[in-house]
């Protein structure tokens, strides 16, 4: 129904395209936007268009970057023979924040998901296989602990093992600082199975 | 930290200006945007700028509209002597959806909130008082049942009563279809106080 002006209706409709935005949230956001200073709206709009236009992926690891090669891949101090495989650039960022990992990455841009029709060919898997022709000692699979993340890890390991390169998986377990009573049963069992001697 | 490209960092930063968007959600949204078809991003960006530029408020009731006078205020079939006072345009829309209300509206664009420093002068209150000089029989106060909504209702009623115009407040009570056990105590008491004879 045309309760608002045409341009506001159009904005609400466009906003509902974004993930996780239902009509109510889109409406709330639209009202916020039309009450923002004009320059802020223009600045947000142009940031969107610019980011979309200028987005580039590292030709080596496929993370988001400005250059042909990302700062990590072009850093001579990183261990280029250790590749951590993650689902998305934000997972790379999460590991970078730890400041502990010294190797390089490979961003798959997704996981295999038969229900959504996402096959290994839809993610950057063959690009990873190609990188293994170089000097690689270890591939650390850091996809999520979801069904799809685990399935993708299995598929990757099946591809990589025959090459003789070491394949590891990040540990599952109880989060540090986490109270046992709030941890689900599967995680608790994983933590038990993965126990280490002290 | 500059984990992503400059333009993506800029987009994330711009998005955090929107209400209810923390860094994590802004990041997720930014990734979605840079993966959207270019035309969709441009269309969303231009919808924002257009809506902000073209936003107009009805000169009578102050709802959002295209024209000088909104379709409700310019409709001869509505009861112009009955004014329902709401906080925001979306509240007007909520009542319009019922299809039952025949009067007109007045949108305050906010409520009085001393903690946030919002006084009667900051909302469209004097514009409402001015409208009462015309032919008005009843003012229905439909601000929210929040502390601020109730306070605003009290202030309005104090202003309007001396004019001899009937002032009413929409009923508080148990939502239709609502299970009593999930309704808070204050609402239950309101529902009791407002009981009607069958």
């Amino acid at each position: 129904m045309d309760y608002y002006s045409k341009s506001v209706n159009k904005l609400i409709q466009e906003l509902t395209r974004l993930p996780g935005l239902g009509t109510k949230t889109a409406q709330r956001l639209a009202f916020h936007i039309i009450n923002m200073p004009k320059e802020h709206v223009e600045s947000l709009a142009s940031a969107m268009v610019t980011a979309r236009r200028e987005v580039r992926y590292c030709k080596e690891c496929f993370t988001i970057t400005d250059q042909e090669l990302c700062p990590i891949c072009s850093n001579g101090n990183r261990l280029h023979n250790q590749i951590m495989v993650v689902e998305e650039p934000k997972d790379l960022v999460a590991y970078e924040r730890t400041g502990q990992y010294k190797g390089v990455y490979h961003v798959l841009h997704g996981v295999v998901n038969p229900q959504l029709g996402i096959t290994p060919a839809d993610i950057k898997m063959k690009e990873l296989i190609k990188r293994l022709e170089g000097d690689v000692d270890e591939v650390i699979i850091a996809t999520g602990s979801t069904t799809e993340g685990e399935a993708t890890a299995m598929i990757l390991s099946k591809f990589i093992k025959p090459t003789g390169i070491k394949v590891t998986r990040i540990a599952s377990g109880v989060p540090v600082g986490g109270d046992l009573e709030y941890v689900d049963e599967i995680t608790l069992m994983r933590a038990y199975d993965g126990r280490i001697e002290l």
Side-chain angles (χ1 to χ4, degrees), chain A residues 9-127:
Chain A
N9 281 333
K10 169 88 176 135
L11 175 57
I12 294 173
Q13 181 202 320
E14 288 284 339
L15 285 170
T16 49
R17 271 189 190 160
L18 297 177
L21 291 196
T23 317
K24 289 254 164 124
T25 326
Q27 191 176 277
R28 194 168 55 86
L29 219 52
F31 283 125
H32 182 85
I33 290 168
I34 59 177
N35 284 310
M36 269 162 74
K38 218 172 224 170
E39 315 78 64
H40 287 193
V41 179
E42 280 158 9
S43 161
L44 169 59
S46 95
M48 278 182 183
V49 174
T50 306
R52 175 62 187 83
R53 193 182 52 221
E54 293 184 356
V55 63
R56 278 182 82 172
Y57 300 100
C58 172
K59 69 167 184 168
E60 189 76 8
C61 77
F62 298 94
T63 195
I64 291 167
T65 181
D66 290 312
Q67 290 98 35
E68 216 184 338
L69 215 55
C70 78
I72 298 169
C73 284
S74 59
N75 183 343
N77 292 324
R78 306 286 297 227
L79 303 170
H80 289 259
N81 55 353
Q82 213 177 46
I83 302 178
M84 180 182 283
V85 181
V86 294
E87 294 181 16
E88 300 292 346
K90 65 177 186 294
D91 303 322
L92 175 158
V93 170
Y95 256 99
E96 280 303 288
R97 287 208 179 104
T98 68
Q100 301 297 312
Y101 180 63
K102 300 298 174 212
V104 293
Y105 296 91
H106 188 86
V107 182
L108 292 175
H109 288 277
V111 273
V112 173
N113 189 331
Q115 278 185 303
L116 298 176
I118 302 170
T119 69
D122 296 315
I123 61 179
K124 303 287 179 198
M125 202 181 267
K126 59 182 178 304
E127 289 82 354

